[in-house]
Amino acid sequence: MKYSRQRELILETIRQSPIHPTAEEIYSRAKEKMPSLSLGTVYRNLALLSELGMIGKLEASGDHSVHYDGRNDEHCHLVCTKCGSINDIELDTLPTIDSAVARKTGFIVTEHEIVLKGTCAACAAHAKSES
Amino acid sequence: MKYSRQRELILETIRQSPIHPTAEEIYSRAKEKMPSLSLGTVYRNLALLSELGMIGKLEASGDHSVHYDGRNDEHCHLVCTKCGSINDIELDTLPTIDSAVARKTGFIVTEHEIVLKGTCAACAAHAKSES
DNA sequence: ATAGCTGCAAAATGTTTGCGCGAAA
DNA sequence: TTTCGCGCAAACATTTTGCAGCTAT
């Protein structure tokens, strides 16, 4: 893979964002630093980086676009269906699951997408104070 | 909610399909039985049925469309990245997770999307016999 | 020198929506 | 008879792609 300033910027932008940004969000933030950047380039690099496992990908956010994650280790996500926030969470029981699945079904797990949907603490508090 | 023959047919079609069909697949199967059926109606009813919890929804299939599931109880999915097959699996450790999450973070889990991606038994066997 | 990446714009894909008609209550 | 759902087609949002020029190696 050849180096490109665009790819470096895109990767940097994802890593610095805490919100699990979409392609569009990554584009508009990165474009501030490199106004010539094009959206097609963002998409091409997101595909590349996530294929290489350098960034994470979250398809099940519930809005209609893919979100990206600067972390590339295995972890889970909490998606609030009220405010749309996405947060990381570690679930220690998970590593054991893969081998259990392999034993039971012969399916070889190489990656997860584990999303728990519901109401985040902030939205729950907000709802309570309203009632 | 008012009864409609279309909705009944759509629900029936999903329940009879073992493959976790997409809207397009549901449409073309159902259209065989009701040629006047329109794709917009399929989408409207899928939104309705999954909002009511009568069918399941799978966003993280890896192809670029939403898949639906005749089962509406909580279970997990195995998505083969080689052949695209989607299969159900029960993971008994999961019910405990929700309360653990709530205790740790205050997040109230109302639904899951738990997808394990990798190579299914059939594709693994196929790869082995080729090498 | 050349392979690969970019910007641009057009196209493709999957999904949603407005409207006027027909069917259920 | 009134309300809701339907079929149709247009609109929409997101993502992908072809091309010609530029950049890293």
Side-chain angles (χ1 to χ4, degrees):
Chain A
M1 183 173 56
K2 210 190 277 196
Y3 169 84
S4 94
R5 203 155 80 75
Q6 287 84 344
R7 178 154 50 240
E8 183 174 58
L9 172 61
I10 289 163
L11 184 54
E12 197 51 31
T13 304
I14 299 168
R15 289 194 171 144
Q16 285 178 1
S17 170
I19 63 156
H20 301 82
T22 62
E24 201 64 57
E25 287 163 345
I26 293 161
Y27 171 62
S28 70
R29 285 180 190 223
K31 204 176 172 66
E32 290 170 16
K33 298 207 178 157
M34 186 190 287
S36 67
L37 183 65
S38 100
L39 186 55
T41 295
V42 171
Y43 275 104
R44 273 187 285 238
N45 279 294
L46 290 173
L48 190 57
L49 291 169
S50 70
E51 223 160 279
L52 294 173
M54 297 179 68
I55 58 175
K57 196 177 175 180
L58 186 72
E59 296 182 275
S61 72
D63 59 22
H64 307 111
S65 47
V66 178
H67 290 249
Y68 294 88
D69 191 334
R71 284 178 61 178
N72 63 348
D73 60 321
E74 288 291 354
H75 60 282
C76 309
H77 292 105
L78 300 176
V79 172
C80 179
T81 51
K82 300 276 188 293
C83 69
S85 69
I86 302 176
N87 285 285
D88 296 329
I89 188 171
E90 326 300 325
L91 293 181
D92 39 340
T93 55
L94 288 177
T96 57
I97 287 179
D98 298 358
S99 52
V101 168
R103 208 172 337 106
K104 261 213 287 205
T105 66
F107 189 100
I108 303 158
V109 178
T110 55
E111 49 181 320
H112 308 101
E113 176 156 345
I114 294 174
V115 173
L116 308 181
K117 299 186 185 187
T119 310
C120 72
C123 285
H126 190 250
K128 190 177 273 180
S129 74
E130 268 186 349
S131 62
Chain B
M1 182 172 54
K2 212 190 280 197
Y3 170 85
S4 94
R5 202 155 80 75
Q6 286 84 345
R7 185 177 311 121
E8 183 175 58
L9 171 60
I10 289 163
L11 184 53
E12 197 50 30
T13 304
I14 299 168
R15 289 195 171 144
Q16 284 176 3
S17 170
I19 62 155
H20 302 81
T22 62
E24 202 63 58
E25 287 163 346
I26 294 161
Y27 171 62
S28 70
R29 284 181 191 224
K31 203 176 172 68
E32 290 171 17
K33 299 207 177 161
M34 186 190 286
S36 67
L37 183 65
S38 100
L39 186 54
T41 297
V42 172
Y43 276 106
R44 272 189 284 241
N45 279 295
L46 290 174
L48 190 56
L49 291 169
S50 71
E51 222 160 279
L52 294 173
M54 297 179 68
I55 58 175
K57 196 177 175 180
L58 185 72
E59 296 182 275
S61 73
D63 59 23
H64 307 111
S65 48
V66 177
H67 291 248
Y68 294 89
D69 191 334
R71 285 178 60 178
N72 62 349
D73 61 320
E74 288 291 352
H75 61 280
C76 309
H77 292 105
L78 300 176
V79 173
C80 178
T81 51
K82 299 275 189 295
C83 69
S85 70
I86 302 176
N87 285 285
D88 296 329
I89 188 171
E90 325 300 325
L91 293 181
D92 39 339
T93 55
L94 288 175
T96 58
I97 286 178
D98 297 0
S99 52
V101 169
R103 207 172 339 105
K104 259 214 290 205
T105 66
F107 188 101
I108 302 158
V109 177
T110 55
E111 49 181 318
H112 308 103
E113 178 157 342
I114 294 174
V115 173
L116 308 182
K117 300 186 184 187
T119 310
C120 72
C123 285
H126 190 251
K128 191 177 273 181
S129 76
E130 268 187 348
S131 63

